[in-house]
């Protein structure tokens, strides 16, 4: 079982930046591939980015070159740096173990105004 706490969301103008953080309470955090997801109103939750336990990263096409996922195993945390934000990035953002479809946290709301 894992407990997740996301933070760092907010309201930002298009072109702005935000840094999301996720604190994970789980044994052996460094062994897990971690991910950020987002869910916009009326849409399904989608995978935004993930980082493997070896530090390999992968991004959804629309965020490539704008978002950067990173992790700090010593702090059981995973961050998402979001630059050049667009209105279509507006969503609630969640972190989780990659492909874990349970144990979701509250998420953090990101709203990008045009």
């Amino acid at each position: 079982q894992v407990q997740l706490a996301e933070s760092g969301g907010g309201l930002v103008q298009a072109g702005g930046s935000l840094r999301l953080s996720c604190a994970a309470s789980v044994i052996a955090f460094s062994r897990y591939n971690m991910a950020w997801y987002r869910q916009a109103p009326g849409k399904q939750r989608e995978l935004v980015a993930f980082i493997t336990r070896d530090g390999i990263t992968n991004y959804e096409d629309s965020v490539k070159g704008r978002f950067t996922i990173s992790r700090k195993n010593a702090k059981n945390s995973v961050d998402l740096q979001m630059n050049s934000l667009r209105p279509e990035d507006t969503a609630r953002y969640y972190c989780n173990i990659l492909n874990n479809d349970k144990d979701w946290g509250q998420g953090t709301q990101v709203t990008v105004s045009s």
Side-chain angles (χ1 to χ4, degrees), residues 2 10 12 24 27 30 38 50-51 56 59 63 68 75 79 84 90 93 109 113-114:
V2 58
V12 63
I27 296 172
S30 63
R38 67 186 178 187
F50 68 83
I51 183 167
I56 297 170
Y59 299 90
V63 309
T68 303
K75 294 188 176 182
D79 289 356
S84 302
T90 294
Y93 285 70
Q109 179 67 36
S113 62
S114 57

Side-chain angles (χ1 to χ4, degrees), residues 48-101:
V48 175
F50 68 83
I51 183 167
T52 70
R53 60 184 184 180
D54 298 318
I56 297 170
T57 59
N58 188 275
Y59 299 90
E60 191 268 330
D61 284 347
S62 71
V63 309
K64 284 181 180 177
R66 301 188 298 122
F67 291 9
T68 303
I69 188 171
S70 60
R71 64 189 297 161
K72 294 180 180 178
N73 289 335
K75 294 188 176 182
N76 279 25
S77 67
V78 57
D79 289 356
L80 186 68
Q81 177 66 43
M82 305 187 297
N83 298 329
S84 302
L85 283 162
R86 305 168 180 171
E88 54 263 39
D89 294 318
T90 294
R92 195 156 191 90
Y93 285 70
Y94 302 85
C95 70
N96 207 335
I97 296 170
L98 183 64
N99 296 325
N100 182 38
D101 199 27

